[in-house]
Amino acid sequence: MTGPNWRGIGAIYRFEMSRFFRTLLQSFVSPVISTSLYFVVFGAAIGSRIEQVEGVSYGAFIVPGLVMLTVMTQSITNASFGIYFPKFIGTIYELLSAPVNFLEIVLGYVGAAATKALFIGTVIMVTASMFVEMQVMHPFAMVAFLMLTCVSFALFGFIIGIWAENFEQLQLVPLLIVTPLVFLGGSFYSISMLPPAWQTVTMFNPVVYLISGFRWSFYGVADVPIGLSLLAIGLFLGLCMAAVWWIFRSGWRLRP
Amino acid sequence: MSAIVKVDRLEKTYADGFQALSSVSLDIAHGEVLALLGPNGAGKTTLISTICGLVQPTGGSVHVDGHDIAADYRQARALIGLVPQEITLEPFDKVISSVRFSRGLFGKPRDEAHIERTLRQLSLWDKRNSRIKELSGGMKRRVLIAKALAHEPRILFLDEPTAGVDVELRRGMWDTVAGLKADGVTIILTTHYIEEAEAIADRVGVINKGRILLVEDKDKLMARMGRKQLRIELHEPLTALPEGLSGHDLELVDDGAALVYTYDTAGPRTGITRLLSDLAAAGIVLRDIQTSQSSLEDIFVGLVQEEDAA
Ligand SMILES: Nc1ncnc2c1ncn2[C@@H]1O[C@H](COP(=O)(O)OP(=O)(O)O)[C@@H](O)[C@H]1O
Ligand SMILES: [Mg+2]
């Protein structure tokens, strides 16, 4: 065998996707319901008081943030569970004794987790378009941002799955770190609506750059320059890649 | 002997400082069945896991068909199938898709004929569409073997394939091993059942406390180390061995009701004739005589005790 083990990548990817297809209805219905709820609560209740944010109706303004919130948590959850479960039940022995390198393992797991998140993100956008008038000014940038976010957060989730030694730890990071960062990252408001002191604090939240960039691809309005957003996500992706590379090189939590 | 696996001064010290393998060297021949025999905690699983890439060695090297397991891990691992000690399977997976997955993971193209053959050989074909959680323990173990064979490995590692398995299933496993050997697969299995090594191995390696104590042809081992015992039942019990018999390797047992004479089957002479005439000269009347041969078990226990005493 020479070159990459494509069949190995495909086997992992298909295996991970098969779990998704087994629960397809659930994977499809729950984002539809939760998105609808967000629109009823935020769009109708708050939106009736806040007419517009930066020239965009409030209902439409929150769509990119909502998509990002779901896509990030889905990517993390799917990827972390995907690698944690075989570690937990012991089937990971097969992966570790197979002729696959770390990049191939990552492509399989992260690719599948990102695909699922991408699917759910699309479902949310379609659902949202039934509630509000939406436009996408920069469709290519939108798709690129969405995919980059899915991939980098799936990678981040993959690391969490390898790090976690029990189910509590597995849920800890998404719950205690990611969700607050996303909520405070301007999903449902513009950073310019905050008092100046908080605006400064917020700039240390990496999620701000992603949501801002993603929203820019829809409405052309951004809290931070688009170049900075791209840089932020590129940096995050690079850091996660480096971490995964180090994990497989050192055998950390995988090979005693 | 052409070695397909060469283990050279392999060392493993775990992160907690425990040394599980101390300078293990071992050559495994093409097509043989090698049984690694050792008590719990001897380092059998560590040795297998290191060769298969699950544990990182801290010293020494392993070559599989000439490929270094670290530098050429792809080529090395492609030749190896591993059946782990614990039954670890995805419970909701179907048998056949689990086996297909294993083949794909090792980079082999789909081959339904090979998968069917493997499942039939392991009596799993009827269960191919069952979910793994629905299977019995013995069947699950066979699914693990099917998964290990899915990519047509030339070397199969079986880590305690019959631990906690009843006699009938154990014999079934032995037949499976014999069948694989006939197909030309090199098999390394670990066990702490001596009778298992005796029944199916070509060679036996004894491992204790992370060291290989010996590796030898099973038959030669039996012959070399095999000692026979002659048990002599006495008509009248003795309180002590008579003077005239002190030159023989004799032991008084059962409160003086019997004598046990130990001799080497490989020696030039057994000394039985002289013993019997000396017994007659001492005026001892015999009631019965029986001989027994030491099994691998006795050899093994002897070796491990020697090692522990050292
Ligand atoms: N991950 C580990 N960390 C520390 N010690 C270990 C680890 N795995 C095994 N050991 C120790 O190494 C020794 C050999 O274990 P093992 O190879 O499983 O033996 P066997 O398979 O012969 O029963 C045991 O004392 C065991 O406790
Ligand atoms: Mg073991």
Side-chain angles (χ1 to χ4, degrees):
Chain A
M1 183 169 44
T2 50
N5 182 352
W6 294 110
R7 292 197 185 91
I9 301 171
I12 297 171
Y13 184 85
R14 273 194 306 277
F15 180 83
E16 285 298 300
M17 291 308 288
S18 71
R19 181 165 38 218
F20 180 65
F21 288 124
R22 270 207 296 272
T23 55
L24 190 62
L25 195 65
Q26 189 188 324
S27 312
F28 182 79
V29 168
S30 72
V32 170
I33 291 178
S34 63
T35 309
S36 307
L37 282 175
Y38 271 108
F39 277 103
V40 171
V41 175
F42 285 91
I46 302 175
S48 63
R49 285 154 200 260
I50 309 171
E51 294 273 290
Q52 287 203 328
V53 183
E54 315 222 347
V56 180
S57 83
Y58 184 71
F61 179 83
I62 64 169
V63 173
L66 200 56
V67 172
M68 277 293 186
L69 171 66
T70 315
V71 155
M72 287 177 190
T73 36
Q74 283 289 330
S75 302
I76 292 180
T77 316
N78 283 318
S80 63
F81 188 79
I83 190 70
Y84 177 79
F85 194 60
K87 217 178 61 157
F88 179 67
I89 65 170
T91 50
I92 198 161
Y93 84 88
E94 202 172 16
L95 206 59
L96 298 177
S97 63
V100 286
N101 66 20
F102 93 98
L103 212 55
E104 291 155 354
I105 294 176
V106 166
L107 276 174
Y109 279 101
V110 169
T115 309
K116 294 177 210 176
L118 207 58
F119 170 83
I120 292 169
T122 310
V123 169
I124 292 175
M125 279 192 274
V126 172
T127 312
S129 71
M130 295 173 196
F131 286 86
V132 290
E133 286 280 320
M134 272 169 45
Q135 61 182 121
V136 182
M137 280 174 69
H138 310 284
F140 285 112
M142 191 274 272
V143 173
F145 254 103
L146 194 59
M147 287 181 46
L148 271 173
T149 307
C150 287
V151 169
S152 48
F153 277 74
L155 209 51
F156 182 56
F158 187 77
I159 296 168
I160 294 171
I162 291 177
W163 162 78
E165 290 180 306
N166 51 54
F167 277 100
E168 286 83 59
Q169 289 184 346
L170 195 65
Q171 284 159 342
L172 210 65
V173 173
L175 201 68
L176 288 188
I177 300 177
V178 178
T179 311
L181 283 184
V182 176
F183 267 93
L184 301 174
S187 307
F188 304 111
Y189 54 86
S190 165
I191 303 299
S192 61
M193 293 160 85
L194 295 173
W198 280 104
Q199 288 191 22
T200 313
V201 173
T202 302
M203 287 302 131
F204 291 98
N205 179 353
V207 176
V208 165
Y209 300 89
L210 306 185
I211 293 181
S212 166
F214 192 48
R215 188 176 290 136
W216 170 85
S217 70
F218 281 76
Y219 309 120
V221 293
D223 288 324
V224 293
I226 178 72
L228 210 55
S229 289
L230 275 173
L231 192 69
I233 191 154
L235 208 64
F236 184 59
L237 188 67
L239 277 177
C240 290
M241 269 321 271
V244 174
W245 173 82
W246 173 82
I247 284 172
F248 277 89
R249 213 186 117 88
S250 67
W252 183 72
R253 302 253 157 123
L254 289 177
R255 289 188 170 98
Chain B
M1 180 180 88
S2 69
I4 191 162
V5 179
K6 276 184 102 64
V7 180
D8 187 29
R9 284 163 290 171
L10 193 65
E11 303 265 346
K12 176 61 189 177
T13 305
Y14 281 109
D16 60 7
F18 183 83
Q19 184 163 20
L21 296 177
S22 315
S23 196
V24 168
S25 294
L26 180 66
D27 280 1
I28 298 160
H30 263 284
E32 75 169 330
V33 177
L34 175 73
L36 281 173
L37 206 54
N40 270 328
K44 304 182 295 292
T45 299
T46 303
L47 176 57
I48 286 189
S49 301
T50 310
I51 298 173
C52 294
L54 305 181
V55 168
Q56 307 188 81
T58 48
S61 67
V62 180
H63 287 85
V64 179
D65 205 23
H67 304 292
D68 184 274
I69 57 159
D72 311 321
Y73 67 94
R74 278 195 203 268
Q75 290 89 334
R77 290 183 194 171
L79 298 171
I80 294 178
L82 167 65
V83 181
Q85 181 172 351
E86 307 291 338
I87 292 183
T88 44
L89 289 163
E90 291 269 352
F92 296 99
D93 233 0
K94 282 186 180 160
V95 171
I96 194 158
S97 46
S98 183
V99 177
R100 279 190 197 124
F101 169 80
S102 302
R103 187 172 170 88
L105 190 61
F106 276 72
K108 289 275 186 153
R110 273 186 88 129
D111 183 347
E112 291 303 298
H114 172 71
I115 287 176
E116 177 172 348
R117 212 175 319 119
T118 306
L119 287 177
R120 283 193 189 281
Q121 189 180 9
L122 293 160
S123 317
L124 285 170
W125 182 244
D126 294 342
K127 296 282 178 188
R128 64 190 178 280
N129 287 318
S130 302
R131 299 213 182 274
I132 283 162
K133 66 184 168 88
E134 296 158 6
L135 304 182
S136 70
M139 287 180 198
K140 284 183 187 150
R141 177 84 60 188
R142 295 205 301 276
V143 173
L144 284 176
I145 299 180
K147 281 168 75 69
L149 293 173
H151 67 280
E152 300 162 74
R154 287 170 55 204
I155 307 157
L156 184 67
F157 286 90
L158 291 159
D159 199 355
E160 306 217 7
T162 61
V165 156
D166 67 35
V167 178
E168 199 174 326
L169 281 175
R170 187 172 306 167
R171 293 204 180 279
M173 186 66 69
W174 294 354
D175 291 342
T176 304
V177 169
L180 291 169
K181 180 185 152 77
D183 289 346
V185 180
T186 304
I187 296 161
I188 297 93
L189 63 95
T190 70
T191 181
H192 48 242
Y193 299 114
I194 319 264
E195 50 163 353
E196 187 153 287
E198 234 168 336
I200 54 177
D202 299 314
R203 286 198 309 154
V204 178
V206 178
I207 178 169
N208 191 36
K209 294 186 176 171
R211 290 177 192 283
I212 298 266
L213 303 185
L214 70 85
V215 184
E216 200 153 38
D217 268 13
K218 182 186 65 186
D219 298 333
K220 271 198 209 138
L221 183 67
M222 299 276 298
R224 184 164 73 81
M225 308 278 295
R227 289 162 79 76
K228 270 196 158 178
Q229 288 192 324
L230 185 69
R231 188 184 160 90
I232 303 156
E233 308 274 344
L234 304 177
H235 205 73
E236 297 286 327
L238 287 173
T239 49
L241 272 181
E243 278 288 313
L245 296 175
S246 57
H248 300 282
D249 184 5
L250 272 178
E251 202 185 344
L252 202 53
V253 296
D254 293 349
D255 293 326
L259 286 167
V260 172
Y261 173 66
T262 308
Y263 61 98
D264 210 329
T265 47
R269 47 174 56 96
T270 61
I272 293 175
T273 320
R274 205 161 61 80
L275 174 70
L276 289 179
S277 63
D278 287 354
L279 282 172
I284 295 171
V285 185
L286 316 182
R287 209 156 60 97
D288 197 5
I289 286 181
Q290 42 188 208
T291 62
S292 62
Q293 183 153 25
S294 60
S295 65
L296 252 178
E297 174 120 33
D298 306 316
I299 298 168
F300 174 71
V301 169
L303 272 171
V304 170
Q305 274 170 356
E306 261 171 50
E307 163 85 357
D308 285 353

